[in-house]
Amino acid sequence: MTDAYVALEGERVVSARARAPGRTRGELVFTTAYTGYEESLTDPSYEEQVLTFSYPLIGNYGVRSERFESDRVHPRAVVARELTDDVASWLTEEDIPAVDHLDTRELVIGIREEGAMQCGVVAGDDVTPDDALEELAQCEAMSDHTDIGAQVSVDSPVTYNRDGEGPSVALIDCGAKDSIVTSLIDRDATVHVLPYDTTEATIEELSPDLLFVSNGPGDPKNFDAAGDLVETYAGEIPLAGICLGQQVIADTLGGDTEKMTFGHRGVNQPVRDLQTGQVVMTTQNHGYTVSDPGELDVTQINVNDDTPEGLDSDDLDIKTRQYHPEANPGPHDTLDFFDDVLGMVDSKPTVSAD
């Protein structure tokens, strides 16, 4: 058995088995999802984090690229009770350190009680606990990754379904999952995927029907360019946001956001609609939340902790969701969000190209 070690805050070191070699550090978080490990591992929102799976066996149905949510694995390392050879080989090919044969229950309980924490991970021949502690010492807080958007966004605009007969959507890629693009294309929208630091000039040139701020990793306060677009176009054209997108929009429109203790990550988060009383199950992956909705109305809340899950403004034509309506992985209870946001476009003016 090749050695591996995970160093936690407080200089605690946990022994493990190496499944994919390497040395790294990041914020230690966990997901409770039983399935969907391919989608989770390729979700850009896990950038700069070390992902722990609370479910004990990861990889029991193989690895298929058609389930990926981006073109690479995003967590800096992977921790599980047991990883199959398929997943271990995939992570080795991706140069992502992976460890197993440790008590993930204890890790998850520690994260729940103490919060998401910095950690160092080392795996492979001749590694030592001191090596893991050295990685831990170099770990940065998530809020200190001030340009994390550059790590997960497209470098230049990409257009999908150019001949679509539906609305034209400017999707600000702060780390967008592919399923968000697919969900819009399935409704015949033309989707312009734009870099996270897109400026007003690009939006004016495209003249979209809808401005959509995507999900993404890290602190929403570090996405200034997306906030500038929200400030410019709120009330001018319809706006939508998912996950980080909700946070950026709220931050910009007089609200505020804060870091959660351990976040919401899984595929069974219950959300209640405050108007209808209906409860739906949702997929979530976020470590920050809206603490003050500002100019927006809270329309949906998390059943477990009452944090805002939906923000709307009829006056400004804004709809945002903290959870992932596109799922992948997870339940499809909320796919109608995409119908609702595209429906805001009806009879609304577009951005002038003059």
Side-chain angles (χ1 to χ4, degrees), residues 55-73:
Y55 189 70
L57 177 62
I58 299 302
N60 55 318
Y61 51 84
V63 177
R64 296 176 61 182
S65 59
E66 54 264 37
R67 297 194 185 107
F68 293 178
E69 285 297 321
S70 68
D71 61 0
R72 66 178 176 89
V73 175

Side-chain angles (χ1 to χ4, degrees), residues 44 149 152-155 170-177 192-198 212-215 223:
V152 295
S153 179
V154 294
D155 295 323
L171 177 64
I172 307 304
D173 179 16
C174 301
K177 291 170 59 183
H192 304 281
V193 180
L194 307 176
Y196 78 107
D197 56 355
T198 292
F212 201 129
V213 185
S214 83
N215 65 291
F223 288 81

Side-chain angles (χ1 to χ4, degrees), residues 16-17 21 23 50 52 58 60 78 85 103 112 117 121 123 134 182 231 271 278 292 303 314 318:
R17 177 179 69 163
R23 304 181 182 210
V50 172
T52 301
I58 299 302
N60 55 318
V78 176
D85 290 345
D103 189 347
R112 284 185 59 89
M117 63 185 72
V121 178
E134 287 179 11
T182 302
E231 184 174 18
V271 170
Q278 181 184 21
D292 179 351
V303 174
D314 292 337
I318 295 174

Side-chain angles (χ1 to χ4, degrees), residues 81-144:
R81 180 69 184 90
E82 183 85 25
L83 291 167
T84 66
D85 290 345
D86 284 341
V87 172
S89 296
W90 174 35
L91 295 173
T92 299
E93 292 170 2
E94 293 275 331
D95 292 324
I96 302 297
V99 306
D100 66 3
H101 283 196
L102 71 170
D103 189 347
T104 50
R105 294 170 300 180
E106 183 178 358
L107 280 183
V108 169
I109 291 172
I111 295 168
R112 284 185 59 89
E113 293 179 348
E114 301 175 38
M117 63 185 72
Q118 296 174 3
C119 75
V121 178
V122 295
D125 295 333
D126 301 322
V127 298
T128 67
D130 285 342
D131 294 330
L133 289 168
E134 287 179 11
E135 291 292 335
L136 171 63
Q138 299 176 65
C139 190
E140 295 181 302
M142 286 301 293
S143 59
D144 291 337

